[in-house]
Amino acid sequence: MSVGTAYWEASDGEVPNFEFRFSHDRIQQAAYSLIPDRIRRETHLKLGWALLDGLTEEALDYHLFDIVEHFNEAAELIKDTAERDRVSRLNYAAGQRALQSAAYAHGYTYFRRAAALSGRDAWERDYAYALDVGVESARAAYLTGDSDAMDQAADEVLAHSRSPLDSFRAQEVRALSLVGRQKAIEALELALETMASLGHTLIADPTAEDVEQGLVATLGLLNNRSNEEIAALPETQDPVGLAIMRL
């Protein structure tokens, strides 16, 4: 008689409340390695869907990494575009969570998996999402110190960007990377170039006259307002202005 049958008979036909556990991790790993690859991937995929569809929103958030790992073990078996997009967004969410926990390398991996699942045509199907994935990939790579991966991700964003503001998001990450690598002059040049693309030009090597003209223009904008009046002005919501201030 098997262990499962014995428990079933002892429970008088009711579903028994018990769990099995391997006595050692190495035994579990050995048993896992004996499962044929195809069956192993299919099982991971079934587990991923079962967990995703059976958990509450709160439980899903708690088990996010476990669910994502099940899907990633069987990513090549997911053929339907809608399903791949769904799993892609789970990887994106996992990447964001990883960055929040300072697990930058893991975050980068999740973002690249998100990009691979959604495919290159995501730039046409869901541009805003593809842009977010590309920018976050660049940011995660920058935070890990992998400048080559950062450049590759930033270049991909620039190749598909539809506006200077979208390009700014990638160039901002690249400028931060340059500063982190003690390349302040290159970072400044990139910042000036990016600001120019947004319609705001700064003189790289201003003369005293240039500085004076800038001060006069600023005073003209203040228009003799008091400090209290200036403090009471609403914060700008202009995305170009906000981007320029960040640079």
Side-chain angles (χ1 to χ4, degrees), residues 156-177:
E156 183 178 5
V157 172
L158 295 177
H160 295 90
S161 174
R162 295 179 181 177
S163 74
L165 265 178
D166 292 343
S167 298
F168 155 78
R169 295 177 60 186
Q171 296 293 57
E172 181 186 30
V173 175
R174 180 168 277 156
L176 289 171
S177 176

Side-chain angles (χ1 to χ4, degrees), residues 8-52:
W8 179 260
E9 292 185 357
S11 66
D12 295 326
E14 296 181 1
V15 178
N17 183 18
F18 63 88
E19 64 179 24
F20 294 104
R21 186 183 300 275
F22 287 97
S23 60
H24 195 282
D25 288 346
R26 291 297 179 87
I27 298 176
Q28 179 181 1
Q29 293 169 6
Y32 182 80
S33 67
L34 294 175
I35 304 173
D37 182 63
R38 179 76 184 186
I39 295 176
R40 184 165 63 242
R41 287 181 291 162
E42 289 175 347
T43 303
H44 277 299
L45 186 59
K46 291 177 182 177
L47 286 170
W49 289 124
L51 289 169
L52 185 60

Side-chain angles (χ1 to χ4, degrees), residues 204-222:
D205 189 17
T207 64
E209 183 180 357
D210 293 327
V211 174
E212 183 178 355
Q213 289 178 352
L215 288 173
V216 169
T218 301
L219 291 172
L221 291 172
L222 294 175

Side-chain angles (χ1 to χ4, degrees), residues 108 112 133-143 149-150 153-154 157 170 173:
Y108 175 75
R112 296 322 297 164
V133 172
V135 171
E136 289 304 292
S137 295
R139 188 163 73 96
Y142 148 63
L143 291 171
M150 182 279 302
V157 172
V173 175

Side-chain angles (χ1 to χ4, degrees), residues 21-144:
R21 186 183 300 275
F22 287 97
S23 60
H24 195 282
D25 288 346
R26 291 297 179 87
I27 298 176
Q28 179 181 1
Q29 293 169 6
Y32 182 80
S33 67
L34 294 175
I35 304 173
D37 182 63
R38 179 76 184 186
I39 295 176
R40 184 165 63 242
R41 287 181 291 162
E42 289 175 347
T43 303
H44 277 299
L45 186 59
K46 291 177 182 177
L47 286 170
W49 289 124
L51 289 169
L52 185 60
D53 295 333
L55 293 177
T56 63
E57 194 70 28
E58 182 178 356
L60 173 61
D61 184 66
Y62 182 79
H63 293 286
L64 176 63
F65 292 112
D66 293 329
I67 295 171
V68 167
E69 287 306 317
H70 279 303
F71 282 123
N72 288 344
E73 287 289 338
E76 66 275 14
L77 299 182
I78 307 173
K79 305 299 184 182
D80 181 75
T81 300
E83 291 182 348
R84 291 183 69 85
D85 284 345
R86 191 178 181 189
V87 176
S88 172
R89 289 183 179 275
L90 289 173
N91 271 277
Y92 181 77
Q96 290 182 309
R97 286 270 294 277
L99 292 194
Q100 292 169 4
S101 302
Y104 303 132
H106 289 295
Y108 175 75
T109 299
Y110 286 126
F111 289 132
R112 296 322 297 164
R113 284 175 175 168
L117 281 160
S118 58
R120 296 190 64 82
D121 63 336
W123 287 101
E124 299 299 327
R125 292 187 297 103
D126 193 345
Y127 172 79
Y129 174 65
L131 178 66
D132 287 340
V133 172
V135 171
E136 289 304 292
S137 295
R139 188 163 73 96
Y142 148 63
L143 291 171
T144 64

